[in-house]
Amino acid sequence: MATGMMAMGISELLIVLLMGGTMNGSGMLGYPPGDRDAALVHAAPADSLLYAEWATRGPGEPGAEGIDGLAADPEVREFIAKIEKAILTSLERELRNEGPESQTFGKAVPPIVKLLLVQPGCVFARFDEEAAAKALTQAGELGPAAVALGIEGALVVNAGDQADELQRHIESLLNMPGAVPPAQRVRNLAHQILPLPTPAAHLELHREGEHFILAFGKGVADETVKGLGKADGGIASNERFTKAIGHAETKRVASVSWIDVKGILSVVVETLGFQGQMVQSVAESTGLDAIDSVASVAGVEEGRLSSRVFVTTGGEIDGVLALVAGRGVTPEDLEVVPGDADLVYAFSLDTKKVLAAAREVVRKSDPTGFAFKAMNDTLTKLDEELGFSIENEAFDAFGDTWILFDSPANGGVLLTGLTAGLEVRDHEKAAKIHARLMELLETTMPGVEQGEYRRTGAELAKATFMDHDIFYVNVLDDDLPFSPAFCLTKTHLLVAPHPQPLKAQLRFLAGDETSFGEQLAQRIPHPDAPAVMMSYVDPKVAVRGLYAVAPMFGSMVFGEIQQEGADIDVFSLPSARALLPYVKDSYSFVVRTDEGILVESHSGLPVPVSGAMSMQAMALPWFMIAGVEEFGAVPRPARAAVVVKGVAAEAAPEPESVLEVEEKDEKDEKDEKGEAKPRRAKEVKPAPLRRDVKPEPETRP
């Protein structure tokens, strides 16, 4: 495999680093959060529709747990320093033969971006009705132009003691030919107007002490300066804002954001005319009009990267919000999960309420009633094909709680032993539905055919283990590494990628081992209100799996980067001991309250791409299995062309498989009407081997 497919260039690396430095306090260049700028919440107007603020980045603390310790680790600090140096070196090399403008751009932009990522700042946006009215006068009708020209906002950054350096880099960009006409240049960035292609738009850059303001809209910069000088007012005086943020409080704040959903919907409806009325209709029919605002606070708690998002709904659960109308997951629901599970995901879904809400959404969305009728007809047809009623039988047979877990004691390593379970409410009804589903699955199997030399095909097999029937797909081939298995117990319908996790699970249920539900209080700080979803992950397993191959992938990645002139090699990659000591378990949950919905997560991976890293690491076994053939471990016959001495000759046709030959020779069975009968899977048991007879060696034609 070419290294270019696995590696990234220096430009892509720069994008990753900059995108990692988002406002959630966990950017690659954004160390643990430091202090916030208290003036920023007063600079944004009280009627802001959007507000986002981020704190300065701290240096970390040697020996501390989680993200603080990682940020201060010598290997990690050296690695980040080399990456920054590699970026600058590569840019200088790429721009060496370019014009002076490109060289100036390359030297000024990286320091500006880095400074913006590590210094506190905010961004806000509001809607100016007067500006929109002018747009209406010019356009003569309602439309998107009224919305676009009515938007005002600003980016505010406190550069601190690096303000002069930031100004120097910004001015070097403004002095580039074509950036700003000389007649419009001002000194010390005092209300510097930046040209825009739209004459009606106004973009202004202004420095006020240590603060830099990039304002969109006339007069916005002056109003922002006034707000920075006040000790009250601004969005901090908005009661809806402060109340929503209060529901998402975090101990050490890295970022704060707020979206006024109600206000945005009002602006859209009032300014877009007929299109706005359509948006309003969709919001009402789907129940989204119940959302007042969305507030988010991210930070650090006990070494974990924490995030709380609160959706203010007033407790409504209509429309799409019916997805959180479940009764909630309890410790008793998790007693089926082994205590050593390193991945647990559970949620409660009131299927009857969800279906009723879906019907209501469709009914309101289509006044003609055609969509509503089509939906009911589809459900009726599906019931007929399944042989049971989903709404009246399946919903009564099975409960609201769904679980997914991976247990090392059950054979799970990096998702290899995933087991899913659906709560059983009425075992007698569930048994009938399960039997019907297995019957339907069996009809989809091609069956096992005995060829001249070997058996091929796939069948639904059944085996009894510890007084339970386990159904599994038995595939007579070497291309599929899965054998999906199903088992119905008194309490759950279990599904796994292989029969082995189900056999291990039955042994656990029959024993007296500690369950995850009994350890829930120690693993996850359970909230007071019902948690309609909760998850738990021990990321150390994923990190160990990732670091088992990290040096190999790192060698290819850094090899590619070095080709572009960067002075960084695989030795720069931190060792596992520079990361593992700071890794903690992760958990999250979704809680429904009387005022809204709280989504809370605590990541124990102290890195910005914790979610992506853990999923990539857990997917490694399947990636390696899928790549076996690609690397040539499993030889395959040539298919397209044979090259002989540089001349492409037509390849001989690939031999037909035994199954294909048999299918050609077989005559389709006909029914009374002369039509081919559908083929069903059939159980073919191999003949017992006699101990005194040795099987003849298999031969191929």
Side-chain angles (χ1 to χ4, degrees), residues 26 39 54 127 171 205 254 275 384 421 432 443 454 543 553 631:
S26 57
W54 57 98
F127 184 74
E171 288 184 332
L205 178 62
Q275 295 94 331
E384 293 175 354
K432 294 180 180 179
T443 61
R454 60 168 56 187
V543 174
F553 284 96
F631 281 93

Side-chain angles (χ1 to χ4, degrees), residues 294-605:
V294 178
S296 173
V297 180
V300 176
E301 290 186 2
E302 299 179 353
R304 296 182 178 89
L305 302 181
S306 301
S307 172
R308 290 183 176 89
V309 178
F310 189 80
V311 183
T312 304
T313 63
E316 296 291 335
I317 54 174
D318 296 328
V320 296
L321 298 180
L323 293 172
V324 295
R327 62 173 174 80
V329 180
T330 65
E332 290 73 20
D333 294 322
L334 301 176
E335 290 184 354
V336 68
V337 179
D340 72 328
D342 51 26
L343 182 148
V344 179
Y345 179 82
F347 65 93
S348 176
L349 185 68
D350 192 326
T351 50
K352 289 189 176 182
K353 287 185 179 180
V354 170
L355 180 57
R359 281 198 172 105
E360 189 65 11
V361 168
V362 173
R363 186 187 65 80
K364 290 182 178 180
S365 302
D366 183 14
T368 64
F370 289 116
F372 184 74
K373 183 177 183 301
M375 177 183 180
N376 288 329
D377 291 344
T378 301
L379 291 175
T380 300
K381 185 177 181 180
L382 182 59
D383 290 345
E384 293 175 354
E385 294 179 354
L386 291 175
F388 58 84
S389 171
I390 296 177
E391 184 174 6
N392 298 323
E393 295 181 79
F395 288 174
D396 291 337
F398 298 99
D400 299 339
T401 305
W402 305 63
I403 57 174
L404 181 70
F405 61 89
D406 195 21
S407 165
N410 284 5
V413 179
L414 301 178
L415 305 185
T416 58
L418 273 180
T419 303
L422 172 59
E423 176 190 7
V424 171
R425 180 179 289 141
D426 188 320
H427 184 265
E428 184 177 351
K429 292 182 179 179
K432 294 180 180 179
I433 293 176
H434 178 253
R436 175 56 180 164
L437 291 175
M438 293 300 99
E439 180 183 350
L440 293 173
L441 179 59
E442 185 179 16
T443 61
T444 64
M445 297 289 103
V448 174
E449 304 289 346
Q450 179 65 56
E452 183 177 357
Y453 301 102
R454 60 168 56 187
R455 295 192 302 156
T456 58
E459 63 179 351
L460 182 65
K462 183 179 74 171
T464 301
F465 184 82
M466 298 187 69
D467 299 327
H468 287 81
D469 291 335
I470 298 179
F471 293 82
Y472 60 97
V473 178
N474 184 31
V475 181
L476 280 68
D477 202 339
D478 58 359
D479 289 337
L480 185 65
F482 300 101
S483 299
F486 314 87
C487 179
L488 180 68
T489 70
K490 293 291 184 180
T491 60
H492 287 83
L493 172 60
L494 302 175
V495 182
H498 307 281
Q500 283 68 34
L502 297 189
K503 293 165 67 177
Q505 179 65 15
L506 292 177
R507 294 171 67 101
F508 162 74
L509 294 176
D512 56 357
E513 299 178 39
T514 303
S515 70
F516 186 87
E518 295 172 302
Q519 303 176 8
L520 183 61
Q522 291 75 34
R523 299 284 190 95
I524 301 177
H526 199 276
D528 296 332
V532 295
M533 187 283 294
M534 65 172 54
S535 67
Y536 170 86
V537 178
D538 183 355
K540 287 186 178 180
V541 178
V543 174
R544 292 192 185 100
L546 177 65
Y547 259 75
V549 295
M552 293 178 282
F553 284 96
S555 180
M556 293 186 288
V557 171
F558 291 117
E560 179 79 6
I561 293 177
Q562 289 179 89
Q563 291 180 2
E564 298 189 15
D567 184 19
I568 184 172
D569 56 27
V570 68
F571 185 81
S572 304
L573 184 69
S575 66
R577 290 186 181 272
L579 180 61
L580 281 173
Y582 311 109
V583 176
K584 308 182 71 175
D585 53 355
S586 306
Y587 60 90
S588 65
F589 47 79
V590 178
V591 175
R592 185 185 72 250
T593 70
D594 294 336
E595 297 185 60
I597 303 167
L598 175 65
V599 182
E600 183 171 339
S601 65
H602 301 267
S603 174
L605 270 179

